[in-house]
Amino acid sequence: AAQPYTFATIAADYRGRRFNSPNDLVLHSTGAVYFTDPPYGLPQWQEDPGKELQFQGVFLLRPSETDTADSMAVEDQPPSVHNSTEAEGRLQVFVRNLTFPNGVVLSPDENTLYVSVSDGAHPFIYAYAIGADGLAADEGRIFFDRSTLGEGEGRGVTDGMAVDVDGNVFAGGDGGVAVLSPSGRLLGTLSMGQPCANVAFGGADGSTLFMTCKSHLVRVETKTKGMNLR
């Protein structure tokens, strides 16, 4: 039987050095891709002798003339294949000073990029203003500090995230999902009694929140809808 999808590598390295282990990504309406590159796929993480990049970054990969957000979303129109030379001119570092960049999402207006850092010493979600060139327009600010949560509220580190149509951020992590307002105020937590690695909106109308926990796939109906799932 024919395979429904075709897989192609769109970027494998930065300036000839292999990525650490790309982890999460978010697609901009222009077709650009923002993705995180922590060291988790390396046996010894930052100390691994096979590590080629000297930093853990968030990257921006701009689309080629043949790649658009629509073409990346349609099964029979996969993005064209790029070798590292072709991708190099379109690949730029968005930020390079994070220890363990993990989840990444955009605000509904695409003016802000949120990046979670799964570092127990600095369990922050950062918010970066995006400039007209698609790159960071500032040094970022701490959007939310997960260490402020109590032991029963999901204290720990943040992993994957999702954003609803109102700009609220649903941040998975140790203890469950922290629900944050666009200003970074904690609205509440969804506790599953175990870590929640990733979250995503879906369902027939985009109002179902799916959560991957340590040993369960959980879903809950909400009164909101996921971004781009109206």
Side-chain angles (χ1 to χ4, degrees):
Q3 294 296 320
Y5 295 96
T6 299
F7 295 94
T9 300
I10 59 174
D13 55 66
Y14 176 67
R15 295 184 176 177
R17 296 179 180 270
R18 289 183 304 173
F19 295 129
N20 299 308
S21 53
N23 179 273
D24 197 8
L25 62 81
V26 63
L27 183 64
H28 192 276
S29 61
T30 61
V33 177
Y34 292 91
F35 65 94
T36 57
D37 186 38
Y40 293 132
L42 301 173
Q44 298 180 43
W45 294 10
Q46 287 105 322
E47 305 304 319
D48 195 89
K51 191 178 191 302
E52 297 187 8
L53 286 177
Q54 300 306 306
F55 63 94
Q56 291 73 237
V58 179
F59 291 90
L60 164 63
L61 178 64
R62 303 181 190 278
S64 71
E65 294 181 358
T66 58
D67 290 346
T68 65
D70 288 337
S71 72
M72 290 184 180
V74 178
E75 294 180 11
D76 60 354
Q77 296 180 1
S80 56
V81 179
H82 307 292
N83 61 36
S84 59
T85 301
E86 292 173 324
E88 185 170 325
R90 300 179 293 109
L91 181 68
Q92 292 179 276
V93 176
F94 186 85
V95 61
R96 66 168 67 217
N97 62 345
L98 302 177
T99 51
F100 297 99
N102 199 325
V104 59
V105 288
L106 285 161
S107 61
D109 61 9
E110 299 186 323
N111 289 329
T112 303
L113 188 75
Y114 299 103
V115 180
S116 67
V117 177
S118 48
D119 182 339
H122 307 285
F124 305 145
I125 299 174
Y126 288 95
Y128 297 89
I130 300 176
D133 59 359
L135 297 174
D138 58 23
E139 295 183 355
R141 59 183 172 84
I142 296 176
F143 174 72
F144 184 69
D145 178 357
R146 204 171 185 110
S147 69
T148 61
L149 296 178
E151 291 293 344
E153 297 179 313
R155 180 184 296 178
V157 299
T158 298
D159 200 325
M161 301 178 288
V163 177
D164 72 6
V165 292
D166 297 316
N168 298 308
V169 177
F170 292 70
D174 294 337
V177 178
V179 184
L180 311 169
S181 75
S183 65
R185 181 171 63 90
L186 179 67
L187 301 177
T189 56
L190 300 173
S191 177
M192 262 58 69
Q194 54 186 237
C196 179
N198 290 292
V199 295
F201 281 98
D205 63 355
S207 64
T208 303
L209 184 69
F210 293 88
M211 297 160 281
T212 57
C213 301
K214 186 174 182 180
S215 59
H216 298 86
L217 172 61
V218 181
R219 67 180 180 183
V220 61
E221 297 299 323
T222 73
K223 295 182 179 180
T224 186
K225 294 185 180 183
M227 185 176 129
N228 300 326
L229 294 172
R230 296 173 186 266

